[in-house]
Amino acid sequence: MFDHRFHCFLKDVIMSEAQPIGKIVDYFYRVEFQQRGSPHTHCLFWVENAPQIDKDEDHEVVAFVDHYVTCEMPPEDDKEMHEIVLSVQRHSKRHSKTCKKKGTTCRFNFPRPPSNRTFITRCTTDDAKKDSDGSCDKENNSSNIISPRIEKDLAEAIVKKVKEALMNTEVSFDSVDALFASLGINQEIFEAAYLRMTRKTSVVLKRAPCDVWVNQYNRDLLHNPHCMPKQQAMTLIRALNEKQSEIFYKIRQWCLQKTRGENPEPFQVFISGPGGVGKSMLIKALHYEAYRILSHLSDNPDEIHVLLTAPTGVSAYNIDAATIHTCLSIGKDIKLPYQPLGDDKINSLRSKLGNLQILIIDEISMVDHKLLAYVHGRLRQIKQTGDYSPFGKVSIIAVGDFYQLGPVKGKPLYTEPTGVNLWQNHFALAELTDIMRQKDAEFAQLLNRLRKRKKGEVLPEQDINMLKQCETGEGADSTDLHIYATNEEVDDHNRRMLHRMCSDTTVIHAQDFERIAKTVHNTCLTQALHIGVNARVMLLKNIDVSDGLVNGAFGTVNEVSKHPGLKPGLTKATSIQPEEERVTNNGGIRRQFPLKLAWACTIHKVQGLTVEKAVVSLKKIFAAGQAYVALSRVTSLKGLIIQDFKESAIYSKADIDTLMQSISLFTY
Ligand SMILES: Nc1ncnc2c1ncn2[C@@H]1O[C@H](COP(=O)(O)OP(=O)(O)OP(=O)(O)O)[C@@H](O)[C@H]1O
């Protein structure tokens, strides 16, 4: 089992396309067993283009280390990471027996040295004359500092004083500088003392005084997007309101019956309600609980019993899920009748999802009949039920709000499909009504009325007045997010902002390869990308869903470079590489950065987003639900600026009401 899990980790994480520690060109590992027999591995990975100590410049090595390794305690509001680091990456202040194995206080050197920056120490045995205690008597030739020469006794005293200050539980320091100042030294003197006392080549990591007990780790490898810490889950479950709890406990009951072998009938529930009623929060609680209970169905911890999905990259990222397309191997351009997956692919899916019991789909309003038919078809193929039971007898929890945006292509689920109506025939409604997001009840109620308004219906006068008050006339040139209905308006605004905000702009032309014809079809890769340092941009492709690098994610350009990789010092940046896409029917390929300017964006890109402030233009609204989604992104009325207010822009489809009234209630 250990071996299997380690290989999954190697293949699906370390060597995956996400390249959490760079591109691996070779590796070595050894499995060892602790005293009580628990196995662990020691691994060595060779990373492509990694700088080498003593061959490359120290600053390049330091930048590489800082990019992948940290020993910073995550902030408390990043609850999940904070708890993981606290429980598995913090050395006990009481130390343990193994710390003292080699006759030292702590052979792992905790508390570790504080430092304002990462630096390298070295003392080669060939050319350095060693003192009897092994400390280095030769001036340390670390090239990343200019270290003053320092006597050994003094160096020893400084290092000791720093250690004592760290062990003193009565005093704490806000920063490395404050700690050093209290001892009458500074970073330079500390480095010189540390280098003088060093016995070998090593890397001293940048570390704040509050992190001296934290072991180094890699953020991406430690973060497990599919597992919520128990403490966090318990807090979430306890906070559920009455309506949320009712649904939660019904589904929990089903899971318990399943594990007791009572064979309950599969269910299909549609959890709905306006924006901010806590649908996403309920999904997280349900996913945690169902995952926990259903894991008792088998001894294999790798078996998947509950799958959390969403139709688009952004919506999947919002709930730490993966896209439906990726999870069920469904391509982009699907056609009915259903095309079964080939033997190899379906066998591979079956080995992963053969024991799936519950599929959760968020943002169901963006799913069309075709995609639902493919979900049904894939699950039937995977489960081989041999009959026409819906979704291969897998239970479905669909979550969303039909009054928000519909699918980009295809017919929404509240309309009549051409074939079997999987939606109407099987789903039952569980509705949430208490708005938990907007503290301002008046604004929340206004949004509720806008959500359901039909074409031609008259809005109450006080609603119009409230919205008109948001037409302040400001915002045209502000850097706040501008939300428009059309790409044309978005492009105009972005072009203006680029010239206003970036002193040095550049145009990156796409590289088009092979038989590129005049008719380049639908691609997000633009022919000419206008860009500059400080430009606000949006990603146009899913690069790494688990890392938030998804279609629709915002960022700011730090550097535009012809060379791959990051400039040293840009430790908090992510390097984006050009992507390739087939753009003509006869095999033409386009290569371009998957980016576009994003001071403004279309309503389609902001579904699911919450911001404090936004400028919303209603001028060219062209579809139902658009105005409601755009206006409901802000948390309060004072953060909303409206341009070109017109009542007629705010409307929903009448057939949604009909569906919501006809759908049966979830009674399980
Ligand atoms: N029971 C609750 N107690 C306290 N806060 C809650 C509760 N339920 C939800 N919230 C909070 O309300 C806010 C909105 O919740 P959530 O994002 O789950 O709503 P939603 O229905 O999914 O909205 P949208 O449709 O816009 O995605 C969040 O900040 C969430 O933490």
Side-chain angles (χ1 to χ4, degrees):
M1 176 56 66
F2 174 81
D3 200 44
H4 172 70
R5 299 190 81 173
F6 176 68
H7 277 94
C8 289
F9 177 68
L10 256 188
K11 189 166 119 307
D12 297 337
V13 180
I14 300 271
M15 319 271 278
S16 71
E17 281 185 22
Q19 301 182 359
I21 56 168
K23 186 171 178 194
I24 308 297
V25 286
D26 207 351
Y27 63 88
F28 165 87
Y29 71 93
R30 191 170 77 174
V31 181
E32 289 187 359
F33 294 82
Q34 278 162 343
Q35 270 171 3
R36 290 190 192 127
S38 59
H40 61 278
T41 49
H42 292 261
C43 328
L44 198 54
F45 292 99
W46 279 262
V47 176
E48 190 172 88
N49 296 329
Q52 294 177 26
I53 288 190
D54 294 332
K55 200 165 157 209
D56 292 291
E57 296 281 331
D58 276 5
H59 70 81
E60 292 175 74
V61 179
V62 165
F64 182 83
V65 172
D66 282 341
H67 185 62
Y68 290 116
V69 182
T70 181
C71 48
E72 190 183 39
M73 179 59 83
E76 277 180 35
D77 54 8
D78 185 354
K79 280 196 194 131
E80 183 184 344
M81 278 302 277
H82 185 82
E83 206 172 298
I84 296 175
V85 173
L86 209 61
S87 56
V88 299
Q89 286 300 109
R90 201 174 49 154
H91 192 83
S92 165
K93 288 188 184 171
R94 292 199 304 273
H95 299 284
S96 67
K97 240 166 65 189
T98 50
C99 291
K100 297 173 184 155
K101 212 158 94 180
K102 291 188 180 157
T104 54
T105 329
C106 176
R107 70 188 171 101
F108 303 109
N109 195 28
F110 281 101
R112 298 251 168 103
S115 176
N116 269 328
R117 60 187 197 132
T118 300
F119 64 94
I120 297 171
T121 71
R122 48 167 72 74
C123 180
T124 54
T125 41
D126 291 338
D127 57 10
K129 183 162 104 14
K130 294 263 180 156
D131 281 357
S132 54
D133 64 355
S135 68
C136 190
D137 197 28
K138 178 178 180 280
E139 195 160 328
N140 197 302
N141 64 352
S142 170
S143 61
N144 62 349
I145 62 152
I146 304 164
S147 62
R149 183 84 175 96
I150 195 163
E151 286 307 321
K152 195 182 140 225
D153 289 349
L154 180 58
E156 195 169 1
I158 291 172
V159 172
K160 193 166 161 223
K161 264 202 307 185
V162 171
K163 195 100 171 180
E164 281 167 1
L166 295 174
M167 302 287 278
N168 184 353
T169 49
E170 278 163 26
V171 202
S172 66
F173 300 94
D174 287 345
S175 66
V176 178
D177 285 337
L179 187 154
F180 287 160
S182 77
L183 303 174
I185 60 170
N186 59 22
Q187 172 78 23
E188 196 187 4
I189 296 173
F190 175 68
E191 279 187 35
Y194 203 86
L195 297 173
R196 179 70 179 78
M197 296 305 297
T198 206
R199 293 157 194 229
K200 58 182 185 212
T201 300
S202 65
V203 176
V204 177
L205 289 177
K206 177 174 181 232
R207 204 181 227 108
C210 56
D211 299 328
V212 294
W213 296 94
V214 180
N215 212 350
Q216 66 270 23
Y217 64 95
N218 173 285
R219 277 194 187 89
D220 295 332
L221 297 187
L222 207 58
H223 173 69
N224 179 355
H226 303 297
C227 147
M228 192 188 329
K230 186 173 172 194
Q231 193 72 35
Q232 195 184 334
M234 295 320 291
T235 313
L236 195 72
I237 293 168
R238 277 190 214 115
L240 295 177
N241 63 28
E242 202 183 325
K243 204 80 204 183
Q244 291 168 328
S245 296
E246 198 184 305
I247 304 168
F248 175 85
Y249 283 105
K250 277 181 185 167
I251 294 173
R252 182 177 188 272
Q253 181 63 14
W254 185 92
C255 296
L256 288 172
Q257 288 182 340
K258 191 86 199 167
T259 51
R260 289 199 294 255
E262 293 169 17
N263 223 4
E265 279 295 304
F267 64 88
Q268 286 88 31
V269 62
F270 169 38
I271 302 176
S272 191
V277 287
K279 298 185 292 293
S280 307
M281 179 155 154
L282 179 57
I283 288 187
K284 286 184 185 167
L286 278 172
H287 180 235
Y288 172 85
E289 194 66 351
Y291 182 99
R292 188 184 70 78
I293 298 176
L294 296 176
S295 66
H296 297 297
L297 285 176
S298 80
D299 291 335
N300 181 354
D302 293 330
E303 257 178 26
I304 296 173
H305 301 104
V306 190
L307 194 58
L308 187 56
T309 65
T312 66
V314 184
S315 50
Y317 178 68
N318 284 342
I319 51 160
D320 283 344
T323 63
I324 305 173
H325 294 81
T326 309
C327 291
L328 297 180
S329 281
I330 299 175
K332 252 207 278 182
D333 294 312
I334 47 176
K335 287 189 184 75
L336 288 177
Y338 173 76
Q339 304 295 314
L341 208 57
D343 283 350
D344 281 358
K345 288 193 175 159
I346 200 69
N347 283 339
S348 144
L349 265 189
R350 207 169 278 142
S351 69
K352 276 196 247 167
L353 303 177
N355 274 315
L356 185 68
Q357 305 298 332
I358 298 181
L359 174 71
I360 306 177
I361 308 176
D362 194 15
E363 299 288 5
I364 194 74
S365 67
M366 299 179 105
V367 172
D368 71 337
H369 284 296
K370 247 194 282 180
L371 183 54
L372 196 67
Y374 267 76
V375 171
H376 167 69
R378 282 290 189 272
L379 291 175
R380 278 191 62 222
Q381 245 194 303
I382 291 170
K383 297 293 243 180
Q384 294 173 295
T385 43
D387 59 18
Y388 283 93
S389 307
F391 307 101
K393 295 195 175 162
V394 172
S395 292
I396 311 283
I397 303 177
V399 186
D401 176 17
F402 285 130
Y403 292 94
Q404 299 188 29
L405 296 186
V408 181
K409 282 192 245 165
K411 286 168 80 179
L413 298 175
Y414 57 82
T415 60
E416 272 299 321
T418 28
V420 182
N421 197 336
L422 279 167
W423 180 257
Q424 283 234 345
N425 293 353
H426 301 295
F427 283 80
L429 174 69
E431 204 166 11
L432 298 174
T433 45
D434 301 331
I435 295 193
M436 310 299 290
R437 181 187 286 139
Q438 273 101 7
K439 309 276 174 284
D440 176 352
E442 226 185 329
F443 182 41
Q445 284 158 13
L446 167 72
L447 290 174
N448 258 343
R449 288 190 290 274
L450 301 184
R451 173 175 173 257
K452 290 195 166 182
R453 178 184 184 266
K454 305 284 150 337
K455 262 187 180 164
E457 250 175 40
V458 184
L459 267 181
E461 204 176 313
Q462 81 265 24
D463 287 0
I464 297 191
N465 289 341
M466 222 161 153
L467 292 167
K468 281 201 162 164
Q469 274 170 21
C470 298
E471 268 198 303
T472 57
E474 359 152 20
D477 283 330
S478 79
T479 52
D480 297 319
L481 178 67
H482 282 56
I483 304 173
Y484 295 101
T486 66
N487 279 315
E488 197 189 356
E489 295 166 295
V490 166
D491 291 345
D492 269 0
H493 183 81
N494 282 334
R495 246 191 313 269
R496 264 190 292 122
M497 291 302 282
L498 180 70
H499 291 116
R500 207 161 73 77
M501 303 299 292
C502 307
S503 49
D504 197 10
T505 65
T506 177
V507 186
I508 302 171
H509 291 280
Q511 290 172 295
D512 288 342
F513 300 101
E514 284 183 39
R515 300 191 297 278
I516 201 109
K518 276 171 239 135
T519 42
V520 165
H521 62 68
N522 220 355
T523 172
C524 63
L525 302 179
T526 163
Q527 208 287 319
L529 175 66
H530 294 255
I531 208 159
V533 172
N534 288 333
R536 191 186 296 164
V537 287
M538 182 190 279
L539 258 183
L540 299 172
K541 273 181 177 281
N542 293 340
I543 292 178
D544 180 2
V545 173
S546 67
D547 205 18
L549 295 177
V550 292
N551 184 356
F554 289 94
T556 304
V557 175
N558 287 127
E559 193 206 356
V560 180
S561 166
K562 286 191 174 161
H563 309 287
L566 289 176
K567 199 162 86 178
L570 282 180
T571 49
K572 296 214 163 137
T574 298
S575 153
I576 303 293
Q577 307 297 327
E579 293 274 319
E580 286 180 4
E581 203 172 88
R582 256 184 78 164
V583 290
T584 63
N585 292 333
N586 57 349
I589 304 277
R590 170 165 292 174
R591 190 161 191 270
Q592 175 62 286
F593 291 90
L595 293 173
K596 70 178 282 185
L597 295 175
W599 281 283
C601 50
T602 58
I603 297 165
H604 276 95
K605 291 283 184 203
V606 297
Q607 169 130 316
L609 194 78
T610 305
V611 285
E612 289 203 353
K613 218 167 168 199
V615 181
V616 176
S617 165
L618 300 183
K619 194 172 180 180
K620 295 194 176 172
I621 294 282
F622 60 88
Q626 280 187 331
Y628 169 64
V629 169
L631 295 169
S632 61
R633 293 309 95 202
V634 286
T635 46
S636 68
L637 196 62
K638 69 176 189 311
L640 179 64
I641 298 168
I642 300 181
Q643 291 178 343
D644 302 299
F645 174 74
K646 50 178 182 174
E647 199 184 331
S648 60
I650 309 166
Y651 63 96
S652 66
K653 283 271 168 71
D655 37 2
I656 305 178
D657 285 359
T658 320
L659 172 104
M660 295 302 279
Q661 277 151 19
S662 66
I663 193 166
S664 56
L665 296 182
F666 181 57
T667 51
Y668 180 79

